Amino acid sequence: ERVNHWFTKLGSTGFKIERDAKNNGDKKVYSLKLEFNGSPIRSEDINKVFSESDRRNLAFSVFMARAEKMTNKDEIILVMDDPVVSFDDNRIEKTCREIKLISGQYRQIIILTHYKYLLYGMIKNQADACFVDIKSLPNGSSSLAVKDISNITLTAHEKACDRICAFIEGSNDPEIMSV
């Protein structure tokens, strides 16, 4: 039931998802029964009905439904690795809004991503967040630095204007010359 809640909330509508359990000897084997607008979907037809975004949403919805069942959530750190892969901007926005809504229930939520629009969505939803940049170093290790988000949502034009203003004010930062 909660998988359906998340799946719909994050933009996949018209689907009904149920867990199906069958005995295979002494083991239970679980699978999903799917319907779209009341019509059953055969497992071999899932790729024809589900977009890549729907498949990713299903995986994320199962993750979120399981996370909801955790006890002692205030002690749990959720780690999400690129939860919005293949999502369009609208679905990313919905995901950011939902992550913000549940964020107070968990000790911490760590989201790893390279999608700028996910950062924009978290900023737009005023998530109480710290953004950290992870960079690979030539020696094979990595460095962490708190990301300055003050200009992350600026357009290329606004960034160029800021560099020009800094130049006019006498800054000699070499990046200013890259306008």
Side-chain angles (χ1 to χ4, degrees):
E1 185 175 307
R2 294 304 291 170
V3 172
N4 283 301
H5 163 82
W6 282 103
F7 198 59
T8 301
K9 198 91 163 157
L10 300 178
S12 297
T13 58
F15 293 97
K16 181 179 179 189
I17 304 164
E18 293 179 352
R19 186 170 72 166
D20 189 28
K22 294 179 181 169
N23 290 322
N24 187 2
D26 62 342
K27 297 180 183 176
K28 278 202 181 236
V29 176
Y30 295 99
S31 61
L32 295 176
K33 285 178 28 178
L34 303 168
E35 291 181 8
F36 180 66
N37 291 333
S39 298
I41 303 171
R42 298 178 317 169
S43 59
E44 59 268 18
D45 293 334
I46 289 174
N47 286 339
K48 297 174 189 169
V49 178
F50 272 18
S51 66
E52 176 68 21
S53 184
D54 287 327
R55 289 193 294 274
R56 299 288 184 158
N57 184 15
L58 178 58
F60 189 64
S61 296
V62 169
F63 173 82
M64 293 306 298
R66 295 213 35 162
E68 284 181 325
K69 289 183 177 183
M70 293 177 174
T71 57
N72 302 328
K73 289 182 196 168
D74 59 335
E75 298 174 9
I76 299 291
I77 298 173
L78 284 183
V79 178
M80 301 175 189
D81 185 10
D82 267 334
V84 297
V85 171
S86 300
F87 284 13
D88 60 24
D89 293 349
N90 184 46
R91 194 170 282 191
I92 292 172
E93 176 67 30
K94 289 176 181 182
T95 303
C96 291
R97 190 171 42 247
E98 293 304 315
I99 290 172
K100 182 184 182 215
L101 288 174
I102 65 154
S103 64
Q105 299 172 24
Y106 299 90
R107 181 172 182 179
Q108 189 173 27
I109 297 177
I110 298 172
I111 303 170
L112 305 168
T113 190
H114 64 275
Y115 289 99
K116 264 192 174 176
Y117 198 79
L118 179 61
L119 295 177
Y120 298 155
M122 297 306 289
I123 293 166
K124 181 179 177 183
N125 282 285
Q126 300 174 349
D128 182 19
C130 175
F131 298 91
V132 178
D133 209 6
I134 304 171
K135 293 193 183 207
S136 296
L137 299 175
N139 66 4
S141 65
S142 300
S143 70
L144 301 175
V146 174
K147 189 163 187 67
D148 175 17
I149 62 166
S150 62
N151 72 351
I152 197 166
T153 58
L154 296 178
T155 66
H157 176 75
E158 290 167 326
K159 288 178 183 177
C161 287
D162 284 351
R163 288 195 300 268
I164 291 168
C165 288
F167 175 76
I168 291 169
E169 292 169 3
S171 175
N172 57 4
D173 184 346
E175 189 171 314
I176 290 172
M177 302 311 284
S178 67
V179 174

